């Protein structure tokens, strides 16, 4: 009887073994068809479309009176849509010399780099052209002029303007900055060009305290690192925290700044078109902190492609600035700097501040001549040797001894060589040169 029981058990073991072996061979999907592990896609806000990323400066005026609209001004979008009507119906542009002088109002649309107007309008006549500037003269209302990134001017005709088009455009510009051309009286020792515009009335601005942006650290880590179990945390003596998986590193500073580096993504292997650069930049911002409403793209830089500098081929930088209460906020570094290639992000830094409470009463800015003199004294050269390209009022972020950040009114003085200086707007004291070089797009 005992032998029969052993035989039955042995038979059952053999059958179960055969069944399990068959299951291993035929019951499991192959590795090629197995679904990969699912990870949560973490993002910050909506993806910014191209048509909302790179917007031009709009100027309207003549002789001594000009109005300027920036993307953050109240009626900017209304004016921009009226100007796009000109582009929508422009016909067959052809090369022609720009008029040297024209009576009446002049409208200028100035981009920071050559763009394709097809991003905003559907017009095959101008599609594919890289436009740096658009002009419209009131003396020739049915003509627009397009300046390509190669420096050539193209003339295109447009249909008769809609009823009250010019009057409504002028009303939109009333919400912008009122400017005038600089004179030798404003800037003694210089012979300013007509391109250099100054405020019609000197701004009266207070000093503000500034508060840093607060980001969700855990969400940011989950967005950058797929598996947090493989990430090491390192605490530095100054309080900064570094998170790294050996290939990329994310550093959080105590004052709220962050820095992200991935050295292996440089150099790039393929060049990117401007549209792809903008799309990639918006995508990276969406994944690494988001694109706040007060953040604006300021400039684009492409690395120069030299045979002796192959490690920097095909890399692109985007610099962003914050604008609060209608004024740009400036610091030693841009609010956001993003450098990447077709391989991915190489370097990313983010330090965003916003204006908070008033720290000192409003006062008018010092005269442009005083601000320029402070820059000249810093250079230790005669004023006539300084090539000035622009001056504008801004807020400059300054850290105090009490570990507080103040936003002080300032003059941003831009030289033709690409250098930019900051001068205190209330005292005329020279602050510093900004940490950046001249930018270019290839």
């Amino acid at each position: 009887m005992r032998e029969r029981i052993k035989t039955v058990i042995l038979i059952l073991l053999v059958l179960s073994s055969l069944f399990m072996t068959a299951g291993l061979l035929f019951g499991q999907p192959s590795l090629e068809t197995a679904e990969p592990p699912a990870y949560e896609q973490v993002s910050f806000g909506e993806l910014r479309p191209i048509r909302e990323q790179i917007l031009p400066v709009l100027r309207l005026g003549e002789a001594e009176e000009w109005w300027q609209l920036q993307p953050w001004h109240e009626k900017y979008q209304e004016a921009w849509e009226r100007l796009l009507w000109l582009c929508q119906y422009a016909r067959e542009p052809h090369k022609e010399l720009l008029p040297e002088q024209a009576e009446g109002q002049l409208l200028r649309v100035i981009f920071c780099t050559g763009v394709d107007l097809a991003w905003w309008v559907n017009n095959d006549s101008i599609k594919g052209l890289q436009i740096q500037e658009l002009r419209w003269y009131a003396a020739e209302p049915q003509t627009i002029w397009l300046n390509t990134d190669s420096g050539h001017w193209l003339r295109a005709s447009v249909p008769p303007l809609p009823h009250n088009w010019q009057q409504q455009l002028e009303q939109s510009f009333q919400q912008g900055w009122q400017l005038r051309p600089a004179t030798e009286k404003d800037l003694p020792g210089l012979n300013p060009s007509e391109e250099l515009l100054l405020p019609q009335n000197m701004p009266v601005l207070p000093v503000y305290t500034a508060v840093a942006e607060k980001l969700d650290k855990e969400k940011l880590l989950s967005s950058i690192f797929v598996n947090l179990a493989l990430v090491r945390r390192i605490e530095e003596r100054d309080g900064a925290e570094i998170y790294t998986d050996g290939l990329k590193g994310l550093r959080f500073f105590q004052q709220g700044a962050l820095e992200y580096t991935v050295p292996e993504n440089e150099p790039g292997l393929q060049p990117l078109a401007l549209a792809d650069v903008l799309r990639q930049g918006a995508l990276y911002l969406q994944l690494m902190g988001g694109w706040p409403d007060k953040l604006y793209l300021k400039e684009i830089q492409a690395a120069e492609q030299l045979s002796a500098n192959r490690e920097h081929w095909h890399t692109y930088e985007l610099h962003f600035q914050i604008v609060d209460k209608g004024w740009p906020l400036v610091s030693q570094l841009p609010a956001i700097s993003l450098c990447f290639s077709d391989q991915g992000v190489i370097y990313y830094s983010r330090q965003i501040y916003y204006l908070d409470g008033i720290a000192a009463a409003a006062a008018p800015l010092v005269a442009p001549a005083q601000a320029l003199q402070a820059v000249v004294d810093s250079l230790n050269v005669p004023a006539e040797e300084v090539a000035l390209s622009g001056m504008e009022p801004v807020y400059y972020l300054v850290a105090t001894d009490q570990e507080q950040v103040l936003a002080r009114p300032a003059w941003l003085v831009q030289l033709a060589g690409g250098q930019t200086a900051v001068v205190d707007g209330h005292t005329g004291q020279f602050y510093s040169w900004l940490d950046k070089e001249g930018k270019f797009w290839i």
Side-chain angles (χ1 to χ4, degrees), residues 109-405:
V109 179
I110 306 168
F111 291 93
C112 66
T113 189
V115 301
D116 189 345
L117 294 174
W119 297 343
W120 294 276
V121 297
N122 184 19
N123 184 346
D124 291 338
S125 296
I126 59 176
K127 185 177 181 179
L129 296 174
Q130 300 301 306
I131 304 302
Q132 190 88 43
E133 181 180 348
L134 181 150
R135 291 190 182 188
W136 173 85
Y137 295 90
E140 291 185 280
Q142 291 183 242
T143 299
I144 61 170
W145 297 83
L146 305 171
N147 188 18
T148 65
D149 56 0
S150 61
H152 298 116
W153 282 97
L154 305 176
R155 176 174 178 161
S157 60
V158 297
L161 300 178
H163 180 64
N164 287 335
W165 183 90
Q166 185 174 351
Q167 291 79 1
Q168 292 171 345
L169 184 68
E170 292 173 358
Q171 291 174 6
S172 299
F173 271 88
Q174 302 301 311
Q175 302 297 320
W177 289 334
Q178 190 175 12
L179 306 173
R180 61 176 177 81
T183 65
E184 190 174 356
K185 183 179 179 180
D186 297 313
L187 304 169
L190 297 181
N191 185 20
S193 68
E194 295 180 358
E195 298 288 324
L196 182 58
L197 300 177
L198 297 174
Q200 190 76 255
N201 301 305
M202 201 57 62
V204 180
L205 301 174
V207 178
Y208 285 95
T209 57
V211 293
E213 169 194 51
K214 293 183 179 179
L215 289 175
D216 187 330
K217 182 186 296 186
E218 296 303 320
K219 184 177 179 181
L220 193 59
L221 286 170
S222 298
S223 176
I224 290 176
F225 299 102
V226 175
N227 189 350
L228 293 178
L230 302 178
V231 177
R232 283 195 308 149
R233 177 181 175 274
I234 304 170
E235 186 171 344
E236 297 186 308
R237 290 184 179 180
D238 61 359
E241 296 177 341
I242 299 176
Y243 295 83
T244 178
D245 62 359
L247 297 177
K248 49 184 177 285
L250 178 63
R251 175 183 292 174
F252 293 96
F253 295 89
Q254 278 193 318
Q255 67 272 29
L258 67 86
E259 186 179 63
Y260 175 60
T261 55
V262 193
E264 69 174 1
N265 287 338
E266 186 177 18
L269 302 179
Q270 297 292 333
L272 299 175
L274 178 58
D276 295 324
V277 170
L278 294 173
R279 290 190 190 96
Q280 288 293 95
L283 177 61
Y284 292 137
L285 256 64
Q286 186 193 28
L287 297 176
M288 297 187 291
W291 190 318
D293 290 338
K294 296 180 180 181
L295 183 73
Y296 295 89
L297 177 62
K298 183 172 177 61
E299 55 195 355
I300 304 172
Q301 177 185 5
E304 189 174 6
Q305 299 176 24
L306 300 176
S307 58
N309 191 25
R310 294 183 62 88
E311 67 273 15
H312 294 291
W313 275 26
H314 309 312
T315 59
Y316 307 90
E317 285 189 38
L318 305 182
H319 293 170
F320 298 81
Q321 69 176 4
I322 285 289
V323 178
D324 202 356
K325 301 186 188 301
W327 299 98
L329 273 58
V330 174
S331 62
Q332 274 298 307
L333 294 174
I336 292 180
S337 286
L338 174 61
C339 177
F340 59 93
S341 70
D342 65 315
Q343 304 296 296
V345 176
I346 300 167
Y347 173 80
Y348 174 69
S349 68
R350 184 181 184 114
Q351 175 66 97
I352 291 179
Y353 282 96
Y354 298 103
L355 299 181
D356 193 21
I358 294 179
L365 270 64
V366 299
Q370 185 175 347
L372 178 62
Q373 188 60 49
V375 176
V376 171
D377 293 342
S378 173
L379 292 172
N380 196 25
V381 297
E384 56 269 16
E385 294 185 12
V386 176
L388 189 63
S389 64
M391 291 186 70
E392 63 172 317
V394 297
Y395 272 101
Y396 185 60
L397 300 172
V398 183
T400 67
D401 296 336
Q402 291 75 30
E403 296 185 355
Q404 186 181 44
V405 175

